[in-house]
Amino acid sequence: MSDYRDLRISVIGAGMGGLACALAFAKKGFKHVDVYETASNLGFVGAGIQLAPNMARVLDRWGCWDEILAEATDIRSSSIREGSTNRELVHVEMPDIAEKYGYPHCTGHRASLAGGLYEGCKKEPAITFHFSTSLADVKSFGPDKTVFTAQPRHGEAYDVETDVLLGADGIKSAVRAALLRVLDIPADVEDTGQAAYRIMLPREKMKDDPELLELLDSDCALRWIGAKRHIVAYPISNKTIYNLSTCQPDVNFAAAPSATYTTRGSKPAMLEVYADFHPIVQKMLNMVPEGEVCEWRLRSHAPLDSWILGAAALVGDACHPTLPHLSQGAAMAIEDAAVLAEVVSRAPGGGADRAAVSKALKVYELLRKDRTTLLVDLAASSARTLHLGEGKAKEERDRQFANAKKRGTPIPDKWASPEVQHMIYSYDCVKEAQEKFDELYATLASPANGETNGHANGIANGQANGIAA
């Protein structure tokens, strides 16, 4: 009998999802994991990121959570405020998240999370990185033979034969484009109509202002909300940095080429967008140096009919991009990776049966698609609710915020709502894969059901618990 650990795993992309895939497969015992990354090195940048318990649960299994936690802030409460007045709509105490779910809800720097994953990968002899190398084409998706063309930046293209191809190459995924081209499905990326500024203020700029220093030294995540806009803020990096992430209508990118995702922003334009927000917000935005304003275009694509073709699978933003309003984008990619390694290791025949490997990848889709769709929809729904302008809908939302001051009551901001937190934070993706693999695999093995069986039997992931997006 063949040994699944001898399968060749090829990962396209070394972002959060790609690093997580490499580490997941190596930790599961796979001996040949190759990662292809267009960039010449992993010089990690970015801003703050929320590290929820469901993500921490996976990272802890891989042995890299403690180092990430050491630099993180344990968030003990959240405050949702009216942008124009700074009036608190609701304050949610979260003192017992770790007690409830085994891990705290933290905030950290993206570089800390990516760096922790990368350091974990470098300790694994099974993982080989190929930098300055992009995917030029996929010649065959298998399952009998999976072949793709790798293109080094300063060299000749070459073909790679692999057993499993994982497209973790983000919203502009070349693997997704190739997969959908074979399936004759449109692969267009869609505008969300939203953009974001990401701002990091160092302690040195805030330390002489008692009002701002109080924010930086707190264990509270804040959200200032207004019509079509909001700002999320929290401390990161051992409270040496205050992170602000905004969301506002996309104006600067509206006429830009579709490939453009970031642009050098204008400080006066940023200040104008939030001109009616409270002076405490204005004070922080004014601290941003003129040349350091950068705006991100928030992009998406239509839900995909399939994430799998032959021995190829899509991961993270390549198959389920999300707006950031639930703070689950990176967590979902990391969970994807853990589930992929689990199901491929369980494929009957130890990898010798290529059709079995392909079906195991389909089990991954069955386990993940409903759940990620729910979270993506919840994030979009939360944005619509937070961005209401004047009118009866806003009055009703604010009434719900007022009622939510009673502990345990649902909150219009889904990120802070206890029932949504429970649904997300209590989830153990690996445990679910272990418990449901055989049952789901059997549905695919039946000719009557077929390999596109979906979720009609309700086996895969009935996690909604009455939470309607």
Side-chain angles (χ1 to χ4, degrees):
M1 180 177 178
S2 297
D3 188 337
Y4 73 82
R5 292 171 294 187
D6 291 324
L7 288 172
R8 298 162 296 177
I9 311 299
S10 298
V11 182
I12 308 301
M16 298 293 188
L19 292 171
C21 283
L23 191 54
F25 276 85
K27 289 292 186 181
K28 202 66 186 173
F30 289 80
K31 301 173 186 176
H32 311 288
V33 182
D34 289 87
V35 183
Y36 298 82
E37 168 55 44
T38 303
S40 58
N41 60 70
L42 296 185
F44 299 117
V45 293
I49 190 168
Q50 300 201 35
L51 310 167
N54 55 308
M55 177 201 290
R57 189 172 292 115
V58 178
L59 297 174
D60 197 27
R61 281 194 176 103
W62 296 340
C64 56
W65 170 241
D66 288 345
E67 290 77 9
I68 296 167
L69 177 62
E71 298 180 3
T73 300
D74 182 356
I75 295 298
R76 313 288 286 183
S77 66
S78 63
S79 176
I80 301 165
R81 304 180 181 185
E82 190 173 60
S84 58
T85 66
N86 201 35
R87 176 174 64 92
E88 187 168 71
L89 299 172
V90 69
H91 188 94
V92 183
E93 292 293 338
M94 299 161 47
D96 53 356
I97 295 292
E99 180 182 339
K100 283 182 179 178
Y101 305 113
Y103 298 90
H105 182 105
C106 296
T107 57
H109 198 297
R110 286 180 177 270
S112 177
L113 174 58
L117 289 168
Y118 185 44
E119 288 302 315
C121 287
K122 289 195 293 184
K123 295 174 185 176
E124 298 293 333
I127 300 174
T128 302
F129 284 92
H130 305 264
F131 292 111
S132 301
T133 304
S134 59
L135 180 135
D137 191 20
V138 181
K139 290 189 171 180
S140 171
F141 282 94
D144 291 334
K145 182 183 287 189
T146 303
V147 180
F148 66 92
T149 302
Q151 176 63 68
R153 187 176 304 165
H154 304 295
E156 295 293 323
Y158 59 92
D159 288 347
V160 179
E161 183 176 335
T162 190
D163 298 309
V164 177
L165 175 63
L166 303 178
D169 45 346
I171 185 72
K172 296 183 278 187
S173 172
V175 179
R176 181 184 72 244
L179 184 152
L180 295 182
R181 191 162 56 246
V182 171
L183 296 176
D184 196 25
I185 298 173
D188 294 338
V189 174
E190 301 175 342
D191 287 321
T192 65
Q194 299 179 49
Y197 296 111
R198 290 173 182 164
I199 298 162
M200 292 192 292
L201 298 177
R203 174 173 282 272
E204 291 70 29
K205 288 196 172 185
M206 302 176 72
K207 64 183 176 62
D208 295 327
D209 186 314
E211 189 177 36
L212 298 186
L213 191 60
E214 182 180 0
L215 296 179
L216 179 58
D217 285 335
S218 73
D219 295 318
C220 182
L222 273 74
R223 202 189 299 261
W224 287 278
I225 65 176
K228 299 182 181 180
R229 298 154 297 157
H230 75 263
I231 297 175
V232 179
Y234 45 77
I236 62 172
S237 301
N238 290 322
K239 298 183 178 177
T240 62
I241 296 172
Y242 201 61
N243 179 82
L244 296 95
S245 299
T246 78
C247 181
Q248 63 276 339
D250 173 12
V251 176
N252 295 326
F253 291 101
S258 61
T260 302
Y261 287 76
T262 64
T263 186
R264 180 72 68 184
S266 159
K267 184 174 179 178
M270 177 181 70
L271 293 173
E272 177 62 27
V273 171
Y274 293 96
D276 61 340
F277 271 42
H278 190 268
I280 192 171
V281 174
Q282 299 290 327
K283 195 160 31 176
M284 289 186 286
L285 296 182
N286 270 293
M287 288 180 172
V288 181
E290 172 66 47
E292 295 182 14
V293 176
C294 193
E295 190 173 15
W296 273 255
R297 189 181 203 178
L298 301 180
R299 307 298 302 275
S300 186
H301 57 66
L304 304 179
D305 291 336
S306 180
W307 299 355
I308 311 300
L309 180 60
L314 301 176
V315 180
D317 284 351
C319 52
H320 50 73
T322 182
L323 290 169
H325 313 314
L326 208 60
S327 302
Q328 280 289 305
M332 288 192 290
I334 288 168
E335 288 179 335
D336 288 351
V339 171
L340 274 165
E342 189 66 36
V343 298
V344 173
S345 74
R346 290 171 176 265
D353 183 344
R354 298 304 175 88
V357 172
S358 183
K359 287 181 180 179
L361 293 175
K362 195 67 180 179
V363 172
Y364 151 73
E365 181 182 306
L366 291 175
L367 286 165
R368 298 295 297 157
K369 197 171 188 180
D370 279 355
R371 181 175 179 83
T372 56
T373 298
L374 173 62
L375 299 191
V376 169
D377 289 347
L378 279 171
S381 172
S382 198
R384 290 190 293 270
T385 301
L386 294 175
H387 292 177
L388 290 172
E390 295 298 327
K392 290 185 177 180
K394 177 179 178 293
E395 291 171 6
E396 171 60 20
R397 180 202 68 192
D398 291 351
R399 185 190 66 77
Q400 292 176 22
F401 273 127
N403 289 341
K405 291 179 181 179
K406 301 173 184 176
R407 185 171 172 80
T409 306
I411 296 172
D413 182 351
K414 296 305 179 187
W415 173 84
S417 198
E419 85 283 5
V420 176
Q421 287 183 345
H422 178 75
M423 182 268 292
I424 296 174
Y425 297 171
S426 62
Y427 179 62
D428 187 333
C429 64
V430 174
K431 182 180 178 183
E432 182 184 52
Q434 293 169 342
E435 292 176 349
K436 294 185 177 179
F437 178 83
D438 290 342
E439 191 173 6
L440 289 172
Y441 188 90
T443 69
L444 296 172
S446 168
N449 290 329
E451 289 205 8
T452 56
N453 174 4
H455 308 278
N457 55 16
I459 295 173
N461 209 11
Q463 298 275 342
N465 293 330
I467 300 167

